[in-house]
Amino acid sequence: GKLRLRCAHLGDSIVVLAKREKGSETWEAITITDIHRADREDEARRIEAAGGKVIPAEGDECSRLDTLYGSLAISRSFGDNHARQYGLS
Protein backbone atom coordinates (compact mmCIF):
# COMPACT_ATOMS: atom_id res chain seq x y z
CA GLY A 1 0.00 0.00 0.00
CA LYS A 2 0.80 3.65 0.13
CA LEU A 3 3.50 4.81 2.56
CA ARG A 4 2.47 7.66 4.83
CA LEU A 5 4.68 9.71 7.10
CA ARG A 6 3.62 11.72 10.11
CA CYS A 7 6.13 13.80 11.95
CA ALA A 8 6.21 15.97 15.06
CA HIS A 9 8.98 18.36 16.04
CA LEU A 10 9.56 19.81 19.48
CA GLY A 11 12.47 21.76 20.93
CA ASP A 12 15.92 21.53 19.42
CA SER A 13 15.48 18.13 17.78
CA ILE A 14 16.31 17.53 14.14
CA VAL A 15 14.02 15.44 11.95
CA VAL A 16 15.66 13.70 8.99
CA LEU A 17 13.85 11.54 6.44
CA ALA A 18 15.94 8.70 5.01
CA LYS A 19 14.65 7.01 1.89
CA ARG A 20 15.87 4.70 -0.84
CA GLU A 21 14.47 3.23 -3.98
CA LYS A 22 13.35 -0.40 -3.80
CA GLY A 23 16.31 -2.66 -4.48
CA SER A 24 18.88 0.13 -4.08
CA GLU A 25 21.57 0.19 -1.41
CA THR A 26 21.93 3.99 -1.59
CA TRP A 27 20.04 6.07 0.95
CA GLU A 28 19.04 9.70 0.49
CA ALA A 29 18.83 11.82 3.67
CA ILE A 30 16.53 14.86 3.63
CA THR A 31 16.46 17.30 6.55
CA ILE A 32 12.81 18.09 7.28
CA THR A 33 13.15 20.61 10.10
CA ASP A 34 14.72 24.03 10.21
CA ILE A 35 16.29 24.54 13.65
CA HIS A 36 15.72 27.89 15.33
CA ARG A 37 19.10 28.89 16.73
CA ALA A 38 20.43 32.28 17.70
CA ASP A 39 23.27 32.02 15.15
CA ARG A 40 20.83 32.13 12.22
CA GLU A 41 20.68 35.65 10.79
CA ASP A 42 16.87 35.73 10.69
CA GLU A 43 16.61 34.50 14.29
CA ALA A 44 19.22 37.02 15.50
CA ARG A 45 17.24 39.84 13.83
CA ARG A 46 13.99 38.61 15.43
CA ILE A 47 15.62 38.37 18.87
CA GLU A 48 17.14 41.85 18.62
CA ALA A 49 13.84 43.33 17.37
CA ALA A 50 12.17 41.83 20.47
CA GLY A 51 14.72 43.59 22.70
CA GLY A 52 17.02 40.61 23.23
CA LYS A 53 20.73 40.13 22.67
CA VAL A 54 22.67 37.38 20.93
CA ILE A 55 26.05 36.37 22.35
CA PRO A 56 28.33 35.52 19.38
CA ALA A 57 29.87 32.05 19.13
CA GLU A 58 33.29 31.52 20.71
CA GLY A 59 35.52 28.53 20.01
CA ASP A 60 33.44 25.34 20.01
CA GLU A 61 30.43 27.09 21.56
CA CYS A 62 27.39 28.14 19.52
CA SER A 63 25.81 31.59 19.59
CA ARG A 64 23.51 32.00 22.56
CA LEU A 65 20.46 34.01 23.60
CA ASP A 66 21.49 36.23 26.52
CA THR A 67 19.05 36.54 29.43
CA LEU A 68 19.23 37.87 32.97
CA TYR A 69 19.11 34.26 34.17
CA GLY A 70 21.92 32.93 31.95
CA SER A 71 22.28 32.16 28.27
CA LEU A 72 20.36 29.68 26.12
CA ALA A 73 21.62 27.78 23.06
CA ILE A 74 18.11 27.88 21.54
CA SER A 75 15.94 30.77 20.45
CA ARG A 76 12.51 29.10 20.60
CA SER A 77 11.17 26.86 23.29
CA PHE A 78 8.11 25.52 25.08
CA GLY A 79 8.44 26.69 28.65
CA ASP A 80 11.31 28.99 29.65
CA ASN A 81 8.71 31.77 29.94
CA HIS A 82 11.13 33.85 32.00
CA ALA A 83 13.17 34.46 28.82
CA ARG A 84 10.36 35.76 26.60
CA GLN A 85 11.33 39.38 27.32
CA TYR A 86 14.77 38.57 25.85
CA GLY A 87 13.44 37.27 22.54
CA LEU A 88 12.74 33.61 23.28
CA SER A 89 9.48 32.58 21.65
Side-chain angles (χ1 to χ4, degrees):
K2 215 176 200 182
L3 175 66
R4 293 185 180 161
L5 171 70
R6 291 193 176 123
C7 176
H9 177 244
L10 180 64
D12 59 352
S13 303
I14 298 172
V15 177
V16 177
L17 169 66
K19 66 179 187 174
R20 68 178 176 175
E21 296 294 324
K22 186 175 182 179
S24 173
E25 292 186 21
T26 304
W27 287 86
E28 178 184 4
I30 303 165
T31 303
I32 295 177
T33 55
D34 193 12
I35 299 174
H36 296 104
R37 296 183 350 190
D39 58 0
R40 281 184 28 187
E41 287 183 36
D42 60 332
E43 281 295 286
R45 283 192 305 270
R46 186 191 60 73
I47 290 166
E48 290 166 0
K53 178 183 172 191
V54 175
I55 302 170
E58 290 185 20
D60 292 338
E61 293 289 318
C62 64
S63 296
R64 301 181 72 83
L65 172 64
D66 190 26
T67 77
L68 182 64
Y69 309 99
S71 63
L72 300 169
I74 57 173
S75 60
R76 299 194 186 217
S77 172
F78 285 97
D80 294 316
N81 291 328
H82 66 279
R84 282 186 182 205
Q85 63 187 350
Y86 304 101
L88 186 74
S89 67

